[in-house]
Amino acid sequence: MKPIRNIMAGVVMGFAASMVAMPVVAETPANMLVIANRIDDITTLDPAESFEFAGSDVSRNVYGKLVNFDPLDLGAGYGPDLAESWTVSDDGKTITFTMRDGVKFHSGNPVRAEDAAWSLQRAVILNKTPSFILTQFGFTAENAMDMIKAEGNTVSITTDKRYATSFVLNCLTSTIGGIVDKEVAMANEADGDMGNIWLKTNTAGSGAYSLVNWKPNESVTLQSNPDFYLGAPAMERVVVRHVQESSTQRLMLERGDIDVARNLNPDDVAGIAGADGVEVDSALRGRLMYISLNQKHPELSKPKVIEAVKYLVDYEGMQNSFLKGQYVIHQNFLPATYLGAVEENPFTLNIEKAKALLAEAGVEGLEIEVGVREAQERIEIAQSLQNTFGQAGIKLNITVGTAKQILGRYRARELDMYMGAWGPDYPDPHTNAGTFAYNPDNSDEAGATGLLAWRNAWDTGGLTAKVAAAVEEGDRDVRSKMYADIQSEFRDIAPFAILYQKIEQTGRAASVANLDLGGAITAVSYWKVTK
Amino acid sequence: MAVVENNGKGRRWSPLSSPAVILTFKTLGSIIVTMLGLAFITFVIGRVMPIDPVLSIVGEQASKSTYDDAYAALGLDKPIIVQFFIYIWDVMHGDFGTSLLTARPVVDDLIRRFPATLELATLGTIMGVTLGVPLGVLAAVNKGSWFDQIARVVALVGYSMPIFWLGLMGLLVFYGILGWVGGPGRVDIFYADIVPSVTGMILLDSMLDGNWDVFWNAMSHIILPATILGYYSLAYISRMTRSFMLEQMSAEYITTARVKGLPERTVIWGHAFKNILVQLITVIALSYANLLEGSVLTEIIFSWPGIGSYITTALLSADMNAVLGGTIVVGLVFVLLNIFSDLLYRVFDPRAK
Amino acid sequence: MMETNMQKQTLRDWLLTDTPTSRRHARYAAAYSGWLTLKSNTMAMVGLGILLLLLFMAAFAPLLAPMDPFVQNLGGRLQPIGADGHILGTDSLGRDLLSRVIYGSRITLYIVTLVALIAPIVGLLVGTVAGYTGGIVDAVLMRITDIFLAFPRLVLALAFVAALGAGIENAVLAISLTAWPPYARIARAETLTIRNSDYIAAVKLQGAGAMRIITKHIWPLCISSLIVRVTLDMAGVILAAAGLGFLGLGAQPPSPEWGAMISEGRKFILDHWWVATVPGLAIFTVSLGFNLLGDGLRDVLDPKEGGHS
């Protein structure tokens, strides 16, 4: 089943690399991009279901969407992709997209309005993890067929209320907006699953690449689409290899076995600085590191204690040492580059002030537990916190566990304190506002485990209404100001201390150009890469 | 031929009661009971664990309704015993369920991952045997000499070294600095999937296919982890060989053979060594089993897609179908190897009854 | 002991006599002669020395450690060996490695002691009861033992820790649970050999019940093989605990457990190799110590082995 081309490439390379006794310096072929990344979080490739980082990296390159980001100009925001243009109805509730002509799926089938409508409908009906991105507009399994309609070569979607158009379109750029080849998917349907099982391990898209195979925890291989409507990509093959250790990725990069290493830690980045033929790119990503306090705890719900905690973090110390180059201080819940993001970072380490606040609150001898996922930098941050908290008389006990262990307890509202990260789901400010500062029902029964405010039993002190208003505001500038105000208030009263925003440092062979990681708003794009 | 009394109706011969058949049945029975017990314990652990398998599929940011749907789809709402019997029933039909993490049937995953570990453990054991046995014999024969001391130290060092540290160092030195061996993974990417997968073991498959480029490339990748595992195997095997040989060497018949004037080489290899073969094979089988199940850390360091890392990753996400499948396979091999050793003993060593 | 030459000779003679005057005398004599054998084995003495050093370090950690093992110094992280008064350098949070290794010895000792107690005792109980009682009890107990033996060891330990939660006590429990089956087998094998002997028959005729026979007569005879096995297994236990620590499931931060330290240090192995190597060497040395001592003990206690009479 292997294309002849690759066997030929393999034989030629094999000839070159067949001397085992001599130092093996493998060089990757000029038309192949080899990336080392941790891809053990991929559990499915179905765009209606895929929600993990590595999965969205694949999806973005395989599936086209109605509107999409241009990897060479992320700042411009979304632009036309499979939809050539769109109009908004007067009442603001219906958006009608006109499909682009002449685009084909990898199977050869034409991309029609019907495929677009069906893809969005199925995302709603299947009700998988990311479906909330669409169902928040009032789509349900019952009304999906009516609210999302295809007519001729147009697709129209009708939301339950008037929302900011930018909001709706931003949501359509996320993974769940991927347009699937309906004919192929239905041909592989089983038990009315709309192709879900088959699409977990196969793809049927129209993007720059198609999937060759996905070997879980080993590799993902993509093959270029020569008929891609924006022009065939320079890299005919993209292979993402799973390599767990940063030091191993670095070794492989230095030896030329890979072109890109995506999980280098700060020390390895420092280690390859200045090495021949290797460069390091730094790009802001959307991930935020934060700590949160469970408001069910009698002491941790006191306002002065909340304030004190924000002064007990060694922001600078950590940023300049073990987080160097990978995280930058950011104390607001909207990542930089998002609409409405602000740059005020008022908190610094101040043990004395914290002690005074704690004394005012009448807190002595406090001992709390913090839950942390088993990841190197998080454990180090937690230990630093242990240190600084200890200086103010708070004993912090660290419980390290796997993601599933800790998250389970967090979602059950069982942890005193949580230290972890949050990645945005779609490139609109509501994605974070709607979880950090939004909690319509704070009771245990509500079970709103998807909302961070709920997980910490915080009723948001009135911010819920402000967030709800901001998502409906049609004027961009007004909307932006609303988020600035919300974040300002959040900084003061919320039992959250936002600590850092992630910078992804990528080690790259110097010959590789135009590799865009997606900034804070989207995933990686391969189709503009050249070597 | 076995003879059986039968309620006074006279003697009847039944082939079913010959000793060999009885033994086979008893062995089969004990295998089945052991495997069932293994499966049950693993099953209970999985259901008791505080890790939430549903979260593994739906992710941390899912809504309650998505979560509930997934929960019911996994059948987690039924009582444990019922779930267990459903599982066993499926297994007997060859259905090990679907892995939550890889989204494909566990059987497929096992077919993919198990040969990788098998290949590694086999190569490691071969190294351990070819180097360890002669080392042990020579150490025993030259007991007390510097050779013996060195051999013992080498073995002891092998026993005492944390394998993950040795692996990291090995990778750094032999791949990173010297470039003598291939890096992590089983083959370089351009060799992946070129030879048809017959056994799943790339070395064998490439030999069968006659594709020597792939063979040498795969060898360059496997040599380092296999050597490290081989060192452990060597440590164990050489130590056991030495102690078995010492037992033999102090026996009377050896002295007799020497007095008779037989050349020393025949005394050692023809007599003493022959007598330890059974014990030695048992030890080798045990060592092989140990390598199979102990390769987890090696697999993590060398990005080796084997069954050890498969089970571990699955365990930490409560992907119980995968854990059960993997444990049953490894456990089965273990049990079979043990039975093989027991049988050898029974057949060749009349003292052990 | 301060004794005059005359008295010392008498004591030594007394211990070395060929004609013991009482059972206690015989036991002391046997122990002393065993000790002499062990002493003559240099390697075993080296092992013993290492373990005594471990005990010493653990007991006097606060006095020996030059600095507090938990004090962080983000400005002075990853210092090389000998820099700034840190004899073995610092780790990724600026903590002194030597102090952490010294304090870590306590954890190692803790793990070793607990497992050395739990696993053989459980195994002894199961094995002797199974071996002595025979019949269906034997069959069931041995079946259970086989099941635990068939379990991939690290996987079982992982499973227990995952089920019980990470932490050092649970890690100890998990390792003990995987370590007891071999002891059960040994104990059972010994019991089977002994149970039909004349000696036991005589005791039975005297009216001893099963409990008494098992505890007072069979157990003492199993002890020596168990001790040898325990010492040899200790290295494996330490490595298993380090492995669990390496995977993040053993002692929790900021605890200076050696396996966890290697795990923390593996990120820096290319440029700051000592952070992972120092605890690695510590683990290696202690394991080696146990193995050397175990080999020596086996020569002493198990006469079939090396050929000492």
Side-chain angles (χ1 to χ4, degrees):
Chain A
M1 276 200 358
K2 293 270 300 183
I4 289 289
R5 180 194 285 139
N6 295 307
I7 298 187
M8 299 279 275
V11 168
V12 168
M13 282 305 131
F15 203 102
S18 63
M19 306 295 135
V20 164
M22 289 176 16
V24 178
V25 181
E27 287 231 344
T28 61
N31 62 351
M32 193 192 275
L33 186 64
V34 184
I35 302 174
N37 193 7
R38 275 185 221 132
I39 55 169
D40 50 349
D41 62 354
I42 303 182
T43 57
T44 176
L45 294 176
D46 182 344
E49 193 178 19
S50 168
F51 205 55
E52 311 295 332
F53 287 109
S56 39
D57 282 342
V58 175
S59 205
R60 173 160 171 73
N61 293 284
V62 169
Y63 289 99
K65 308 182 177 100
L66 289 174
V67 287
N68 213 337
F69 296 108
D70 176 2
L72 294 182
D73 191 6
L74 286 183
Y78 52 77
D81 185 9
L82 291 179
E84 211 167 38
S85 61
W86 56 91
T87 57
V88 183
S89 67
D90 288 328
D91 66 359
K93 297 206 290 189
T94 304
I95 309 178
T96 308
F97 300 90
T98 308
M99 300 299 289
R100 188 184 299 269
D101 282 326
V103 186
K104 293 213 180 52
F105 285 111
H106 300 137
S107 61
N109 297 335
V111 176
R112 314 157 296 178
E114 197 183 327
D115 298 295
W118 183 77
S119 304
L120 295 176
Q121 288 161 355
R122 93 185 263 277
V124 171
I125 295 173
L126 288 176
N127 196 25
K128 300 290 182 187
T129 309
S131 66
F132 73 92
I133 299 178
L134 293 180
T135 57
Q136 64 183 333
F137 297 120
F139 303 129
T140 64
E142 290 76 34
N143 71 16
M145 298 298 193
D146 298 318
M147 296 295 144
I148 305 170
K149 276 213 289 255
E151 273 158 1
N153 78 334
T154 68
V155 179
S156 62
I157 62 176
T158 309
T159 56
D160 59 352
K161 288 192 311 193
R162 181 198 191 96
Y163 292 102
T165 307
S166 55
F167 176 43
V168 179
L169 293 182
N170 273 328
C171 290
L172 288 179
T173 64
S174 52
T175 304
I176 201 176
I179 306 298
V180 178
D181 188 340
K182 177 180 178 186
E183 304 304 319
V184 171
M186 289 305 270
N188 288 286
E189 180 187 37
D191 282 336
D193 71 347
M194 299 178 96
N196 174 241
I197 303 275
W198 186 80
L199 283 174
K200 278 186 203 258
T201 54
N202 298 281
T203 59
S206 60
Y209 290 91
S210 61
L211 181 77
V212 174
N213 63 36
W214 162 42
K215 294 191 201 154
N217 288 41
E218 272 184 67
S219 65
V220 170
T221 309
L222 301 177
Q223 177 76 32
S224 68
N225 174 10
D227 298 321
F228 185 45
Y229 83 94
L230 286 177
M235 293 293 111
E236 283 164 22
R237 218 163 162 82
V238 176
V239 177
V240 182
R241 295 182 62 173
H242 176 66
V243 179
Q244 186 76 21
E245 304 278 315
S246 161
S247 39
T248 316
Q249 287 192 12
R250 172 180 161 187
L251 283 177
M252 293 169 81
L253 185 64
E254 284 173 339
R255 299 213 64 85
D257 283 340
I258 57 175
D259 296 312
V260 179
R262 292 190 62 180
N263 302 108
L264 296 178
N265 64 44
D267 296 277
D268 284 321
V269 168
I272 60 174
D276 261 344
V278 170
E279 283 169 16
V280 176
D281 294 334
S282 294
L284 268 180
R285 299 312 308 268
R287 199 153 242 245
L288 295 174
M289 199 68 87
Y290 72 95
I291 54 181
S292 65
L293 305 170
N294 192 337
Q295 294 303 284
K296 282 187 167 187
H297 193 287
E299 308 293 332
L300 295 177
S301 47
K302 296 180 178 172
K304 294 219 191 265
V305 174
I306 293 177
E307 200 187 337
V309 164
K310 296 177 189 177
Y311 287 103
L312 283 176
V313 180
D314 189 2
Y315 302 93
E316 300 257 333
M318 292 194 269
Q319 184 194 247
N320 297 336
S321 59
F322 57 85
L323 295 180
K324 197 177 177 82
Q326 308 240 313
Y327 284 91
V328 65
I329 294 176
H330 190 81
Q331 294 173 355
N332 300 285
F333 64 71
L334 286 185
T337 73
Y338 267 63
L339 173 74
V342 291
E343 286 307 310
E344 279 110 54
N345 298 318
F347 299 107
T348 55
L349 179 66
N350 193 334
I351 310 268
E352 292 312 314
K353 179 159 182 172
K355 274 179 161 169
L357 284 166
L358 287 172
E360 280 173 50
V363 168
E364 248 190 63
L366 182 59
E367 186 171 341
I368 54 178
E369 180 200 22
V370 64
V372 177
R373 263 179 64 172
E374 210 258 306
Q376 189 66 37
E377 74 271 5
R378 297 190 199 195
I379 297 179
E380 288 179 325
I381 294 178
Q383 292 186 74
S384 172
L385 291 175
Q386 205 176 39
N387 188 6
T388 45
F389 275 42
Q391 292 178 43
I394 302 181
K395 187 164 190 314
L396 189 65
N397 294 323
I398 304 177
T399 302
V400 176
T402 60
K404 324 297 170 183
Q405 283 172 326
I406 299 293
L407 282 173
R409 294 185 61 198
Y410 186 30
R411 293 164 67 105
R413 295 174 140 182
E414 276 175 27
L415 291 173
D416 293 333
M417 184 169 137
Y418 175 76
M419 202 239 97
W422 177 265
D425 303 321
Y426 49 87
D428 185 277
H430 187 66
T431 180
N432 279 8
T435 188
F436 278 98
Y438 182 82
N439 188 7
D441 184 345
N442 197 23
S443 66
D444 285 341
E445 293 73 41
T449 51
L451 301 177
L452 292 183
W454 185 88
R455 290 186 196 173
N456 290 285
W458 181 51
D459 65 5
T460 76
L463 287 179
T464 302
K466 297 189 183 173
V467 169
V471 82
E472 291 174 28
E473 175 53 56
D475 184 319
R476 222 180 129 88
D477 292 322
V478 173
R479 202 175 168 218
S480 180
K481 175 97 184 23
M482 289 167 94
Y483 285 113
D485 291 337
I486 294 175
Q487 286 176 89
S488 176
E489 207 179 322
F490 185 86
R491 276 197 306 269
D492 290 331
I493 65 170
F496 286 89
I498 314 282
L499 308 175
Y500 301 103
Q501 181 169 353
K502 176 127 182 74
I503 298 177
E504 185 170 338
Q505 289 189 301
T506 309
R508 164 178 64 79
S511 56
V512 174
N514 291 337
L515 178 69
D516 175 76
L517 297 178
I521 52 180
T522 183
V524 70
S525 312
Y526 301 130
W527 61 88
K528 295 287 189 191
V529 175
T530 58
K531 266 168 78 160
Chain B
M1 280 224 302
V3 164
V4 160
E5 295 280 347
N6 191 8
N7 286 345
K9 284 205 190 120
R11 297 161 132 215
R12 277 184 14 156
W13 166 75
S14 162
L16 279 177
S17 45
S18 69
V21 179
I22 292 188
L23 183 64
T24 318
F25 272 122
K26 272 173 94 170
T27 317
L28 270 177
S30 89
I31 295 183
I32 292 180
V33 171
T34 310
M35 297 309 296
L36 271 178
L38 195 67
F40 187 66
I41 295 183
T42 317
F43 203 83
V44 169
I45 292 177
R47 292 296 179 263
V48 155
M49 273 209 284
I51 301 173
D52 193 335
V54 187
L55 278 186
S56 309
I57 355 174
V58 302
E60 54 180 279
Q61 298 169 215
S63 68
K64 192 156 191 341
S65 73
T66 313
Y67 184 91
D68 289 340
D69 283 349
Y71 190 79
L74 286 179
L76 290 175
D77 40 352
K78 308 195 184 70
I80 287 191
I81 294 288
V82 174
Q83 290 181 42
F84 183 63
F85 279 114
I86 294 179
Y87 179 74
I88 296 293
W89 180 251
D90 286 337
V91 167
M92 297 209 293
H93 289 94
D95 175 15
F96 279 82
T98 312
S99 161
L100 299 177
L101 292 180
T102 66
R104 52 201 78 191
V106 171
V107 176
D108 289 354
D109 284 340
L110 292 175
I111 292 179
R112 229 172 13 96
R113 306 286 288 240
F114 186 63
T117 306
L118 203 62
E119 199 178 18
L120 200 55
T122 309
L123 199 57
T125 308
I126 291 178
M127 284 199 228
V129 170
T130 44
L131 292 173
V133 169
L135 199 68
V137 171
L138 288 173
V141 166
N142 297 308
K143 177 168 157 42
S145 71
W146 61 267
F147 183 82
D148 182 25
Q149 298 281 49
I150 293 195
R152 291 180 68 175
V153 167
V154 164
L156 278 171
V157 165
Y159 259 47
S160 321
M161 189 86 74
I163 196 175
F164 41 93
W165 182 82
L166 194 60
L168 279 174
M169 295 271 91
L171 201 58
L172 169 62
V173 171
F174 292 103
Y175 169 64
I177 298 180
L178 294 172
W180 285 358
V181 299
R186 295 178 79 185
V187 277
D188 286 340
I189 23 125
F190 9 90
Y191 289 119
D193 298 325
I194 288 189
V195 298
S197 171
V198 173
T199 63
M201 296 193 267
I202 303 188
L203 289 177
L204 276 183
D205 290 340
S206 55
M207 283 204 287
L208 288 174
D209 197 48
N211 189 332
W212 293 101
D213 292 328
V214 177
F215 178 80
W216 285 115
N217 188 266
M219 183 61 96
S220 77
H221 284 269
I222 201 177
I223 194 81
L224 189 57
T227 307
I228 290 179
L229 285 179
Y231 187 38
Y232 280 81
S233 181
L234 180 152
Y236 184 60
I237 292 179
S238 77
R239 178 191 220 168
M240 299 311 280
T241 310
R242 178 179 177 277
S243 85
F244 293 150
M245 282 302 282
L246 283 177
E247 249 181 57
Q248 295 299 316
M249 303 290 280
S250 56
E252 265 193 35
Y253 76 94
I254 293 293
T255 333
T256 320
R258 281 199 178 120
V259 161
K260 271 176 26 178
L262 286 176
E264 189 67 4
R265 271 187 64 187
T266 319
V267 173
I268 298 174
W269 295 99
H271 291 271
F273 186 70
K274 251 179 50 178
N275 279 323
I276 67 166
L277 264 181
V278 171
Q279 286 175 300
L280 197 55
I281 293 184
T282 319
V283 160
I284 294 177
L286 264 174
S287 166
Y288 189 53
N290 271 328
L291 284 193
L292 271 178
E293 56 139 20
S295 62
V296 173
L297 296 168
T298 317
E299 285 175 20
I300 289 182
I301 292 175
F302 287 93
S303 297
W304 198 262
I307 205 163
S309 55
Y310 180 67
I311 298 180
T312 312
T313 326
L315 194 60
L316 295 174
S317 311
D319 182 5
M320 287 326 285
N321 283 334
V323 175
L324 278 166
T327 311
I328 287 180
V329 166
V330 176
L332 190 63
V333 174
F334 214 85
V335 164
L336 287 175
L337 281 171
N338 272 322
I339 295 204
F340 171 67
S341 332
D342 273 350
L343 272 176
L344 266 185
Y345 254 115
R346 235 181 244 273
V347 169
F348 287 104
D349 192 344
R351 286 177 302 158
K353 268 291 173 248
Chain C
M1 270 213 276
M2 286 177 299
E3 311 204 51
T4 65
N5 254 358
M6 276 278 281
Q7 284 174 300
K8 214 169 175 189
Q9 269 208 281
T10 313
L11 182 66
R12 201 165 178 273
D13 281 345
W14 184 74
L15 285 171
L16 284 176
T17 180
D18 275 337
T19 52
T21 52
S22 71
R23 220 195 331 217
R24 219 160 44 112
H25 187 185
R27 275 218 281 271
Y28 282 140
Y32 188 67
S33 113
W35 165 247
L36 284 180
T37 319
L38 194 66
K39 214 159 65 125
S40 67
N41 182 345
T42 339
M43 296 303 244
M45 283 296 107
V46 170
L48 188 60
I50 293 177
L51 296 179
L52 287 175
L53 186 63
L54 178 72
L55 270 167
F56 185 67
M57 271 210 314
F60 295 107
L63 296 173
L64 289 170
M67 303 177 201
D68 185 329
F70 301 109
V71 160
Q72 296 177 16
N73 176 12
L74 293 183
R77 53 194 290 268
L78 298 173
Q79 297 282 319
I81 294 187
D84 244 3
H86 295 281
I87 302 183
L88 291 179
T90 61
D91 70 357
S92 62
L93 287 175
R95 298 175 290 205
D96 180 48
L97 278 176
L98 179 61
S99 312
R100 282 178 76 75
V101 167
I102 291 179
Y103 271 87
S105 65
R106 292 188 153 180
I107 302 177
T108 308
L109 201 61
Y110 178 73
I111 298 175
V112 158
T113 317
L114 278 188
V115 177
L117 288 177
I118 300 178
I121 290 183
V122 171
L124 186 67
L125 270 171
V126 172
T128 48
V129 167
Y132 191 75
T133 324
I136 192 130
V137 172
D138 181 19
V140 168
L141 283 175
M142 278 304 111
R143 210 32 67 225
I144 297 182
T145 313
D146 279 345
I147 291 176
F148 274 90
L149 262 179
F151 238 110
R153 192 154 154 174
L154 195 61
V155 172
L156 185 57
L158 269 176
F160 271 105
V161 174
L164 302 171
I168 194 136
E169 293 80 14
N170 293 334
V172 165
L173 204 60
I175 298 177
S176 313
L177 280 166
T178 61
W180 68 266
Y183 300 115
R185 276 196 152 190
I186 293 179
R188 178 174 178 273
E190 297 264 1
T191 314
L192 285 178
T193 329
I194 302 169
R195 112 176 135 164
N196 293 322
S197 66
D198 294 337
Y199 165 62
I200 296 293
V203 173
K204 261 204 234 174
L205 281 176
Q206 286 183 332
M211 278 306 296
R212 198 187 157 82
I213 296 182
I214 292 182
T215 50
K216 291 206 85 174
H217 298 279
I218 298 188
W219 281 7
L221 293 170
C222 295
I223 295 281
S224 55
S225 8
L226 282 184
I227 289 184
V228 171
R229 186 70 201 240
V230 165
T231 326
L232 289 173
D233 277 350
M234 275 308 113
V237 167
I238 293 175
L239 293 175
L244 282 178
F246 184 74
L247 293 171
L249 296 172
Q252 296 297 287
S255 181
E257 194 259 316
W258 293 341
M261 285 171 70
I262 299 186
S263 179
E264 282 169 20
R266 82 196 206 237
K267 290 174 40 169
F268 314 106
I269 206 154
L270 293 179
D271 294 317
H272 313 277
W273 50 269
W274 56 91
V275 185
T277 307
V278 164
L281 280 176
I283 296 178
F284 169 66
T285 314
V286 173
S287 305
L288 192 64
F290 273 109
N291 278 323
L292 289 172
L293 185 61
D295 260 2
L297 277 180
R298 187 175 48 189
D299 286 350
V300 165
L301 292 172
D302 200 1
K304 276 193 302 160
E305 271 300 312
H308 284 103
S309 62

